[in-house]
Amino acid sequence: MERRVNQMLAVVAATALITLGWLVAPTALASIDADTTAEIVFNDNREPAGTLSDGILELDLEIREGDWHLLGESEPAGRVLAFAEAGESPSIPGPLIRVPLGTEIWVKISNSHDTTVVIYGLDSRRDGELRPLRVPAGNTQIVRFLADVPGTYFYWGAVTDRPLSDRAFEDSQLSGALVVDAPGAPTDDEIMLMGMWNDGRLPSGEPDLGREFLVINGRPWPLTERLTYSLGDTIRWRLINASKSIHAMHLHGFYYRVDARGDIARDTVYWQAQRRMAVTERIAEGATMT
């Protein structure tokens, strides 16, 4: 016996998106002029990026502008910035960085955009201080750090010094998952990264909430990924909120156990007595949950 379970967005969207005005008709998406801009692909966070050898992960990242057909190939595209692994299409979310504990990570980042991009999260976690990396337009930077604490993390970028809470437009999808696996820990999990994007501005310049899209792994409802499981399976999900808003995550007809909560800098794994069964958990901007 099998039960089809939608991805987290799919199971909450019918209530949450309509209530908050996040459900947008395809015709509301602004059209853009066609040119040679790269096509952005969806990333389901299943295949780690880069090359891992002898305890070192080497990854070439690029910041590129692309056309994002979030509502389907037949609908107009949005124009946003996205991360890409060198030689590959840009993706939303960005390439998955997933390594065993103790891996040294070398990342080269090239910025083909015409504005400086500041990147956060590509750093060790032991001291709790994450240093931003500034990549000027047309420049390349190299960062090396140690994956020294297991957990669910992420990296993100913004134009100039814009905070995570202000990313609504062209840089709102510059996010990627970063997972550090403890020795012997299961790796058969689903990684779901949430984002938000606004396809319009009010006369004041503020985001038009009537043209706002909530996405998981680059897809909005009802185009979110469907997941199929067998009765009795143990399912592990890692949730990352890289958007600018709090989200109440719940399943219809199911309880789930919360094993860990964290953010971009730290991840707290609960010991057995702290774990709780939940129907709904609020995830703040920049927060994570397993």
Side-chain angles (χ1 to χ4, degrees):
M1 174 180 179
E2 292 190 344
R3 184 182 300 273
R4 181 173 296 273
V5 181
N6 289 352
Q7 194 180 37
M8 190 70 81
L9 176 58
V11 298
V12 302
T15 300
L17 296 188
I18 294 173
T19 301
L20 298 177
W22 287 343
L23 190 59
V24 182
T27 55
L29 184 59
S31 181
I32 59 175
D33 295 331
D35 59 13
T36 57
T37 303
E39 292 288 327
I40 297 174
V41 300
F42 299 120
N43 177 15
D44 292 325
N45 284 317
R46 286 193 168 76
E47 296 296 329
T51 302
L52 180 61
S53 179
D54 296 327
I56 297 175
L57 176 76
E58 296 185 61
L59 174 61
D60 286 358
L61 280 182
E62 298 174 351
I63 300 167
R64 297 163 60 186
E65 188 175 43
D67 291 344
W68 181 26
H69 288 270
L70 73 163
L71 295 175
E73 291 298 324
S74 62
E75 301 295 338
R79 173 91 35 102
V80 296
L81 297 175
F83 287 114
E85 185 171 5
E88 303 291 340
S89 298
S91 66
I92 296 176
L96 168 64
I97 300 176
R98 185 165 197 169
V99 297
L101 179 65
T103 300
E104 189 173 350
I105 301 175
W106 300 0
V107 183
K108 181 173 73 173
I109 306 173
S110 302
N111 181 12
S112 64
H113 190 49
D114 58 6
T115 306
T116 295
V117 174
V118 183
I119 299 175
Y120 303 83
L122 295 177
D123 209 337
S124 298
R125 264 62 181 180
R126 180 65 63 186
D127 61 8
E129 179 182 357
L130 301 183
R131 292 158 285 273
L133 178 69
R134 301 182 66 84
V135 187
N139 276 251
T140 296
Q141 299 282 7
I142 297 176
V143 61
R144 298 181 181 181
F145 62 97
L146 184 67
D148 56 354
V149 181
T152 303
Y153 310 105
F154 65 102
Y155 62 96
W156 63 279
V159 172
T160 61
D161 293 302
R162 184 177 295 161
L164 185 70
S165 59
D166 286 349
R167 295 193 314 164
F169 303 110
E170 76 278 9
D171 58 357
S172 64
Q173 303 307 306
L174 280 174
S175 307
L178 195 167
V179 175
V180 180
D181 292 310
T187 59
D188 59 338
D189 46 38
E190 300 285 343
I191 302 170
M192 305 179 188
L193 189 145
M194 292 178 282
M196 294 183 72
W197 177 63
N198 289 87
D199 179 45
R201 299 175 188 261
L202 299 174
S204 63
E206 293 297 310
D208 182 355
L209 299 184
R211 296 172 63 146
E212 188 169 74
F213 294 82
L214 171 63
V215 299
I216 286 184
N217 287 348
R219 294 181 173 93
W221 167 260
L223 303 179
T224 44
E225 182 187 11
R226 269 57 172 171
L227 303 172
T228 301
Y229 303 115
S230 296
L231 184 66
D233 283 352
T234 296
I235 309 305
R236 298 176 178 87
W237 287 357
R238 297 177 186 263
L239 304 178
I240 300 169
N241 183 7
S243 78
K244 60 185 177 67
S245 294
I246 298 172
H247 301 297
M249 308 305 291
H250 66 276
L251 294 176
H252 290 260
F254 295 88
Y255 287 89
Y256 58 88
R257 190 185 71 202
V258 180
D259 286 350
R261 294 295 300 259
D263 56 30
I264 192 172
R266 61 192 57 82
D267 195 12
T268 300
V269 178
Y270 296 147
W271 54 289
Q272 188 170 1
Q274 293 175 305
R275 295 173 181 172
R276 60 184 177 274
M277 299 300 292
V279 171
T280 301
E281 286 276 320
R282 288 164 56 90
I283 305 183
E285 61 187 52
T288 65
M289 178 172 69
T290 302

